[in-house]
Amino acid sequence: MSDKVIDTLILTQGDILRAGCFDIAMAIDAAREAVLSYAAGRILYPDKVSQIFDESTQCRTNCLPATLFDEQISGMKWVSVFPTNNARFGLQNLTAVILLSSTQTGFPLAFMEGTLISNMRTAAVSAIAADKLARKDCSSIGFVGAGEQAKFHFLAMKQVRPGLKRCFVSSRTSAREQSFIEALAPLFPDTEFIPCGGDYERSVSNADILVSAISGQAPIIRAGWIKKGAFYAHVAGWEDEYGVPLMADKIVCDNWSSVKHRTQTLSRLYKMGRLADNDIYCDLDKLLTGSLPGREGDDEFIYFNAVGLSFVDVALANRIYKTCLEKGLGTTVRMQDEDVFAALRKERKC
């Protein structure tokens, strides 16, 4: 074989599903392992590059790289977030692809559909935070937003808090609430799913675990609605009034240095001078290493803000790539197979 040969495995979402990799428990395990590796200094995590096309809608494309030294893998997620897609075109808001390369040769190993991976990663990170920060006896969960990310979060939260028995779901439309329930109710007969008819207060005020997963940029969640002892997974933008995080007993982030430069509720407070670095209890890695305790009382209201850790996407993608490789799934594409000058000579019949 020529020393010029470079093969890359193309993995579609169908390949990933056929490999059995739509597995939230596996995603949670991969997320924990990746965060611990990061805490041990075994992961390179550069700043992301974001191209925001419209400040008012936050339509954007992001490039998020990371390197896993122990796995000898470097990767990048290219993700587009277009909050206007559903209203304008009836399309999903987020699409992503992931590229994995070898740190030994630099060659591309896999090019993968990344939307499913991205959705699993977001929910998995919230779940490992909830495992440390939500009450052990949580019985209810409430959603503001009923799209794909809300569904993934329900799957993940049930993994770490299987005692959840009531799920309140609120969305802009009853149709989206019903779609959420139709997708999940058959899978979880032990849970009562309660549509709130667009009543956000009902969903929030009943939630031991609250998840906001919407694409808006307006504060619709009020501080007075928050249940005593609740855990709030904030995975969207600016959907809660400033009083919500300001009343929290603890504020935890996946990575505060990344959060504070965004346009979310916490970052807005930081830029206004109403929130300082020392107001943040800690980043997630401090909880997983045991450097700091998580929840210390049943009455604590704990606010968790995630913006996305690209090294978790890469770690999860690498697990999926290895599984697909073992099962013979995907399409191998020859990206390069001969010297370009040999090809030119051949073309010109030299």
Side-chain angles (χ1 to χ4, degrees):
M1 183 180 289
S2 168
D3 62 356
K4 299 295 182 182
V5 169
I6 298 177
D7 288 339
T8 299
L9 188 66
I10 307 298
L11 293 171
T12 67
Q13 188 176 99
D15 295 323
I16 293 169
L17 292 173
R18 283 188 289 275
C21 291
F22 184 6
D23 183 340
I24 293 294
M26 179 269 289
I28 292 171
D29 184 63
R32 279 199 187 97
E33 185 178 290
V35 173
L36 288 170
S37 293
Y38 173 72
R42 301 304 302 155
I43 286 178
L44 186 63
Y45 178 43
D47 291 338
K48 76 170 186 177
V49 176
S50 184
Q51 301 175 90
I52 300 174
F53 311 123
D54 187 322
E55 288 288 347
S56 63
T57 64
Q58 288 294 296
C59 288
R60 61 199 183 273
T61 297
N62 300 326
C63 175
L64 300 100
T67 295
L68 316 178
F69 290 120
D70 293 337
E71 298 287 342
Q72 299 182 344
I73 287 288
S74 185
M76 177 203 75
K77 181 172 76 168
W78 181 264
V79 56
S80 294
V81 183
F82 278 62
T84 58
N85 268 3
N86 187 259
R88 293 181 65 195
F89 310 116
L91 300 174
Q92 66 192 50
N93 294 341
L94 182 145
T95 51
V97 292
I98 294 176
L99 174 67
L100 298 180
S101 297
S102 163
T103 59
Q104 299 302 293
T105 64
F107 286 5
L109 300 174
F111 182 77
M112 311 169 64
E113 195 281 331
T115 308
L116 175 60
I117 293 170
S118 190
N119 282 331
M120 285 198 292
R121 182 268 306 159
T122 305
V125 169
S126 291
I128 60 175
D131 199 31
K132 294 292 185 181
L133 300 171
R135 293 198 330 267
K136 299 295 184 186
D137 64 349
C138 287
S139 63
S140 62
I141 186 168
F143 287 92
V144 174
E148 290 299 288
Q149 195 48 247
K151 296 169 189 171
F152 277 85
H153 266 74
F154 181 82
L155 296 177
M157 293 302 180
K158 280 286 280 187
Q159 283 287 326
V160 297
R161 291 294 182 270
L164 292 170
K165 298 300 181 185
R166 293 194 302 162
C167 176
F168 295 85
V169 55
S170 58
S171 182
R172 295 184 183 93
T173 69
S174 293
R176 289 179 71 81
E177 293 177 7
Q178 288 302 323
S179 176
F180 178 100
I181 293 169
E182 287 168 9
L184 295 171
L187 302 173
F188 297 94
D190 66 329
T191 303
E192 179 187 6
F193 290 86
I194 303 160
C196 294
D199 185 347
Y200 298 129
E201 181 178 1
R202 186 182 181 198
S203 186
V204 172
S205 63
N206 281 286
D208 294 325
I209 294 176
L210 170 63
V211 179
S212 60
I214 58 174
S215 57
Q217 286 287 322
I220 58 173
I221 298 173
R222 309 300 177 197
W225 299 350
I226 304 295
K227 189 176 180 180
K228 182 179 288 188
F231 166 74
Y232 177 18
H234 180 289
V235 292
W238 178 40
E239 66 272 27
D240 50 324
E241 66 181 8
Y242 296 137
V244 175
L246 291 176
M247 67 180 274
D249 295 290
K250 287 187 175 85
I251 299 174
V252 177
C253 297
D254 58 352
N255 186 273
W256 169 237
S257 65
S258 297
V259 169
K260 64 184 177 182
H261 299 300
R262 305 294 180 86
T263 58
Q264 297 173 310
T265 311
L266 292 186
S267 49
R268 289 170 183 268
L269 283 167
Y270 177 77
K271 291 167 188 174
M272 293 164 60
R274 297 181 62 187
L275 193 72
D277 292 336
N278 59 10
D279 292 318
I280 307 303
Y281 179 64
C282 69
D283 284 347
L284 185 56
D285 63 309
K286 297 292 190 296
L287 300 180
L288 296 194
T289 60
S291 300
L292 288 171
R295 176 172 288 273
E296 296 175 278
D298 286 347
D299 288 343
E300 281 187 307
F301 166 48
I302 302 180
Y303 187 106
F304 175 67
N305 195 128
V307 292
L309 301 170
S310 61
F311 61 81
V312 179
D313 291 279
V314 173
L316 179 54
N318 187 45
R319 282 204 186 191
I320 291 171
Y321 162 65
K322 288 180 176 178
T323 301
C324 290
L325 205 59
E326 289 170 1
K327 295 187 175 184
L329 292 164
T331 303
T332 299
V333 174
R334 183 141 295 177
M335 307 294 287
Q336 176 180 301
D337 60 3
E338 63 179 320
D339 181 274
V340 292
F341 289 99
L344 184 62
R345 291 194 299 272
K346 189 185 301 181
E347 179 187 336
R348 296 187 180 182
K349 297 182 172 56
C350 295

